Amino acid sequence: MPLIQVEMFEGRTPEVKREFVEAITRETCRVLKCQPAAVEIILRDVKKSDWASGGVLWSEKK
Amino acid sequence: MPLIQVEMFEGRTPEVKREFVEAITRETCRVLKCQPAAVEIILRDVKKSDWASGGVLWSEKK
Amino acid sequence: MPLIQVEMFEGRTPEVKREFVEAITRETCRVLKCQPAAVEIILRDVKKSDWASGGVLWSEKK
Amino acid sequence: MPLIQVEMFEGRTPEVKREFVEAITRETCRVLKCQPAAVEIILRDVKKSDWASGGVLWSEKK
Amino acid sequence: MPLIQVEMFEGRTPEVKREFVEAITRETCRVLKCQPAAVEIILRDVKKSDWASGGVLWSEKK
Amino acid sequence: MPLIQVEMFEGRTPEVKREFVEAITRETCRVLKCQPAAVEIILRDVKKSDWASGGVLWSEKK
């Protein structure tokens, strides 16, 4: 029952998200030896103004 | 100090959310023997296009 | 597909955890109108030395 | 590599968020003895209608 | 900067975890068009006595 | 009611954790204009064998 929660910058298209969950589910099943039905993935879009690395919001990086 | 974080599909009404947090808090206190004031609940609405089960986004399931 | 993640102080017995997930699942299904099979619950035990309220770890409260 | 995930009520200005991530990163590095580049912070705005304390949503508190 | 948090049943070997993070990072970069250095993955082992599906802990399923 | 969840490598002493939650709570209150009692912090120790950056577990980095 792997549960995979992913934070990524907002802006990905539905097609990219679809390909992403397909690929992640496939690799998870291959490596962890589980059934696809057991894999849950939740995607969370994050704004660049809500993510900081090194103390700087990505919306302010140059 | 139980902390309960809930992901659910978006679309629930304020009335349903109110009833949900009341019920979950009540049952948490009853079973875990804690005070209501100790129970924190955070609800997160998730779009069907951001949740995949079995490698398929719920927005694409038929 | 509600996903419920719960942080609680460590120390609950298996019997209490069993009763807790039964009660939370039942109430979730009743209020959100979903099937029990759709409800996933993950419990995380937290040490009092890893949880702070008001700037004080619970392991240090008197 | 501390990862810091913060839930707060929505409504903070970009300036407050910027000051917040700066301060949290600075204190994290000072106390945990790590480099700023190692600190990741994700902010999540939460509506008062999605956060309950004591079984009552903050949108309904008086 | 995708951040990927994974809950899985405890018991995977270090070799399996290594292969898992390699595969997930590779697919994430391929699909989301990002650099490997940008991908952070945190694995959390979950006991079967701390995960419930359908109101039943996995430690009690038959 | 800020909720702050922190993942860090295991191994910090209780003294460091105490100083950390004090500092984070103080700065949170100063910048977000909230009361200390409103700040909840949960610390989660992560093994180097459960955290990967750039596709490599920290337990395997040289």
Side-chain angles (χ1 to χ4, degrees), chain B residues 1-9 12 16 19-20 23-24 26-28 30-34 44 51 53 58, chain C residues 1-9 12 16 19-20 23-24 26-28 30-34 44 51 53 58:
Chain B
M1 303 301 293
L3 166 68
I4 302 175
Q5 300 178 77
V6 184
E7 324 273 342
M8 59 174 71
F9 285 144
R12 264 73 185 212
V16 167
E19 186 180 356
F20 180 68
I24 296 300
R26 184 189 64 237
E27 291 301 294
T28 298
R30 183 181 65 79
V31 179
L32 300 187
K33 315 293 185 200
C34 61
R44 293 195 200 100
W51 197 321
S53 301
W58 283 87
Chain C
M1 304 300 294
L3 166 68
I4 301 175
Q5 300 178 75
V6 183
E7 325 273 342
M8 59 174 73
F9 285 145
R12 263 73 184 212
V16 167
E19 186 180 356
F20 179 69
I24 296 300
R26 184 188 63 238
E27 291 301 295
T28 297
R30 182 179 67 78
V31 179
L32 300 187
K33 314 293 186 202
C34 61
R44 295 197 199 98
W51 196 321
S53 301
W58 282 87

Side-chain angles (χ1 to χ4, degrees), chain F residues 44-59:
Chain F
R44 295 197 198 97
D45 286 343
V46 181
K47 296 176 184 173
K48 290 194 173 185
S49 53
D50 282 328
W51 196 322
S53 302
V56 182
L57 293 167
W58 282 88
S59 54

Side-chain angles (χ1 to χ4, degrees), chain C residues 17-55:
Chain C
K17 288 185 175 181
R18 180 175 54 202
E19 186 180 356
F20 179 69
V21 299
E22 286 173 358
I24 296 300
T25 301
R26 184 188 63 238
E27 291 301 295
T28 297
C29 293
R30 182 179 67 78
V31 179
L32 300 187
K33 314 293 186 202
C34 61
Q35 295 300 312
V39 181
E40 298 279 325
I41 302 176
I42 293 177
L43 309 178
R44 295 197 199 98
D45 286 343
V46 182
K47 296 176 183 172
K48 289 194 173 184
S49 54
D50 282 328
W51 196 321
S53 301

Side-chain angles (χ1 to χ4, degrees), chain A residues 1-49:
Chain A
M1 304 300 293
L3 166 68
I4 302 174
Q5 300 179 76
V6 183
E7 325 273 342
M8 59 174 71
F9 285 145
E10 61 181 1
R12 265 74 185 211
T13 65
E15 289 71 29
V16 167
K17 289 186 175 181
R18 180 174 54 201
E19 186 180 357
F20 180 69
V21 299
E22 285 173 358
I24 296 300
T25 300
R26 185 189 63 239
E27 291 301 294
T28 297
C29 293
R30 183 180 65 78
V31 179
L32 300 186
K33 314 295 184 202
C34 60
Q35 296 298 312
V39 181
E40 298 280 327
I41 303 176
I42 294 176
L43 309 179
R44 294 196 199 98
D45 286 343
V46 182
K47 295 176 184 173
K48 291 194 172 183
S49 54

Side-chain angles (χ1 to χ4, degrees), chain B residues 32-43:
Chain B
L32 300 187
K33 315 293 185 200
C34 61
Q35 296 298 312
V39 181
E40 297 279 326
I41 303 176
I42 294 176
L43 309 179

